[in-house]
Amino acid sequence: MSLPPVLYHYFQTPLPYARTLALQERLHQIQLGSRRASSHQDILLLLQHRPVYTSGRRQTEHELQFERARLTKIGAEFVTTSRGGQLTYHGPGQLVGYPLLDLGRTSPPMGIRDYICRMQKMIQIHLMSAHKLAHVPSDHTGVFLDPATKVASIGVQVRHRLTTHGFAMNVNKEPLEWFDRVVACGLVNVKAGCIELAAGKQIQVQDVVEGVVNVFGELYGRDMEKLRLESAGEVGEAILALEEEALEAGNWPSAPTSES
């Protein structure tokens, strides 16, 4: 039996992180409930966030107290999450992907390691096919343009074979000043890079969405189809509500200067 298409949606307005986290949880619960009737949908959310630093499961609240105070002072939000990995940044100029997939749909079921490896390969293929950028191998999770320049991060969570969280790829220069304020992912000798600088061309996040969607479908062996919000029931209603909230939030903080 062929698998149903993955339904994808790109949010035009940068989203508040905590509310996007709540949306993922809501969609996870909808998937879990409808899976009993084999009617659940696999979804790929593509978006940008308002400026936010997030921590992962490997850090304690005691370790993060100082960082929380320091980073919120420069204008970013700070959110503790249940994903894998350590402290990182999300914000405008970065394409974030949250695949909400049922890994048990494949035969045999897809393992978590395979799922992450395909995600990493998906980003590597997109960089080469769309921007002529080669990656370098690394012992660390994520995608590197050279041993000291990381262009994309991966941090996932899997519960009941359903995935949440995902990947973040730096498209243009806007996130870099924010990244310079932290040791992202605990990698002391690594700096954040972006497609725009590496490829030597101006590029916006919306420019890479179609290419990422196509390669995602290829790597996971799925057809990709735009999510029709007006006919998507609870899923569409939840997404539309978050889009309205993002619009109402207005402008987001600009990147900190080197003096701030």
Side-chain angles (χ1 to χ4, degrees), residues 21-22 28 33 39 51 56 70 77 85 90 102 106 113 124-125 130 138 153 158-159 162 177 180 198 215 231 255:
L21 204 59
H28 173 83
S39 61
R70 179 176 70 87
E77 297 178 54
H90 297 308
D102 182 355
T106 60
R113 182 180 295 275
Q124 293 167 353
I125 290 175
S138 175
S153 299
V158 181
R159 293 168 292 161
L162 296 172
E177 288 283 354
D180 285 345
V215 180
S231 60

Side-chain angles (χ1 to χ4, degrees), residues 36-245:
R36 299 185 183 93
S38 298
S39 61
H40 58 301
Q41 302 164 318
D42 287 329
I43 299 168
L44 172 62
L45 302 177
L46 294 165
L47 54 111
Q48 300 174 73
H49 277 300
R50 296 172 68 87
V52 61
Y53 292 97
T54 69
S55 63
R57 291 191 301 266
R58 294 175 60 184
Q59 295 160 286
T60 67
E61 183 59 33
H62 177 74
E63 292 173 322
L64 294 171
Q65 282 180 352
F66 173 77
E67 291 289 67
R68 183 189 301 273
R70 179 176 70 87
L71 296 171
T72 53
K73 187 176 180 180
I74 63 174
E77 297 178 54
F78 192 102
V79 179
T80 302
T81 78
S82 55
R83 62 161 171 79
Q86 299 186 52
L87 187 68
T88 193
Y89 169 79
H90 297 308
Q94 179 188 72
L95 179 67
V96 174
Y98 294 137
L100 308 175
L101 307 182
D102 182 355
L103 299 185
R105 266 192 155 136
T106 60
S107 182
M110 186 182 299
I112 296 175
R113 182 180 295 275
D114 185 17
Y115 171 67
I116 293 173
C117 286
R118 292 187 194 210
M119 189 176 296
Q120 188 160 302
K121 186 71 173 175
M122 179 267 296
I123 298 168
Q124 293 167 353
I125 290 175
H126 172 76
L127 290 176
M128 176 54 71
S129 62
H131 311 289
K132 307 302 183 216
L133 295 176
H135 73 283
V136 300
S138 175
D139 293 334
H140 304 291
T141 302
V143 179
F144 292 73
L145 298 176
D146 61 57
T149 307
K150 187 176 183 181
V151 73
S153 299
I154 295 171
V156 306
Q157 184 180 33
V158 181
R159 293 168 292 161
H160 310 290
R161 301 194 310 275
L162 296 172
T163 68
T164 51
H165 298 279
F167 65 89
M169 182 172 65
N170 301 328
V171 176
N172 60 39
K173 296 178 289 185
E174 193 167 355
L176 302 189
E177 288 283 354
W178 295 96
F179 269 111
D180 285 345
R181 299 310 180 95
V182 295
V183 177
C185 304
L187 302 177
V188 176
N189 297 317
V190 171
K191 291 286 187 180
C194 67
I195 295 172
E196 183 174 66
L197 288 179
K201 61 182 179 181
Q202 289 190 333
I203 185 168
Q204 300 300 317
V205 171
Q206 58 266 29
D207 298 334
V208 307
V209 170
E210 182 179 355
V212 167
V213 167
N214 290 338
V215 180
F216 186 94
E218 291 172 12
L219 264 293
Y220 288 97
R222 304 288 292 274
D223 291 332
M224 305 298 293
E225 183 178 302
K226 276 190 178 181
L227 179 61
R228 299 180 183 276
L229 298 181
E230 66 279 1
S231 60
E234 290 181 272
V235 171
E237 291 172 6
I239 289 174
L240 283 170
L242 181 53
E243 288 192 323
E244 291 174 6
E245 187 171 328

